[in-house]
Amino acid sequence: MATPKKGRNASAQSKPGRSLALILIAIAALTGGMFASGHTKPRLGIDLAGGTSITLRAVPEAGNEAAINKTNMDTAVSIMERRVNGLGVSESEVQTQGRENIIVNIPKGTNSEQARKQVGTTAKLYFRPVLATEIAGGKGAASPSPSPTGSPTD
């Protein structure tokens, strides 16, 4: 019968207690650090901690069904993200679902009614006619200065 070789690899395999002890020491150190810092409760995500979930559905105007496309939905998502971030909310999620739905998830601790109003409001841009213009170069207007002349010096 051949005798097993006693080398470096053989000794590491024959003492599994060292690896187990090292793992237990690491677990004890991490647990002790958790209690020492005072953070004994885990941070929960929106699915466990609660929060507000808003589902918006894109509805095309009559005769304009082609308006719902990926480009327009991505634009709407970026607008919604800016609105939610404007509320000072962290860890919010805004994403599309399917072809015509946008899901907005806002974590607990924010004013959900204000968030619903902010996210669900349709933005409108109004134009008004210009009734008067200021004439450029009128009284008090500065005249342009002449450009510098001469050669640069070294």
Side-chain angles (χ1 to χ4, degrees):
M1 240 201 226
T3 59
K5 293 181 182 179
K6 290 189 176 182
R8 192 171 201 169
N9 291 337
S11 66
Q13 291 177 354
S14 66
K15 298 182 182 179
R18 286 185 186 173
S19 299
L20 182 61
L22 184 63
I23 291 172
L24 290 176
I25 289 171
I27 289 174
L30 290 172
T31 305
M34 181 181 71
F35 283 105
S37 68
H39 297 294
T40 56
K41 293 184 179 180
R43 289 182 43 188
L44 302 175
I46 192 169
D47 54 344
L48 297 175
T52 303
S53 181
I54 303 167
T55 303
L56 301 167
R57 185 169 160 249
V59 179
E61 293 178 352
N64 195 9
E65 284 76 28
I68 300 178
N69 56 34
K70 181 164 177 35
T71 304
N72 290 345
M73 292 297 283
D74 290 342
T75 302
V77 165
S78 68
I79 291 170
M80 298 294 170
E81 285 176 343
R82 285 192 300 248
R83 287 182 180 182
V84 171
N85 291 337
L87 295 171
V89 177
S90 63
E91 299 182 14
S92 62
E93 294 178 352
V94 181
Q95 59 191 3
T96 58
Q97 182 183 41
R99 185 176 172 265
E100 57 188 28
N101 291 328
I102 297 176
I103 308 294
V104 180
N105 291 321
I106 302 171
K108 189 176 182 180
T110 59
N111 186 345
S112 62
E113 189 60 36
Q114 179 188 8
R116 284 188 181 133
K117 286 179 183 176
Q118 185 80 12
V119 170
T121 303
T122 302
K124 294 182 182 179
L125 179 63
Y126 295 103
F127 292 95
R128 61 182 178 86
V130 178
L131 300 176
T133 60
E134 185 175 320
I135 300 173
K139 195 172 189 178
S143 62
S145 63
S147 59
T149 59
S151 62
T153 58
D154 290 328

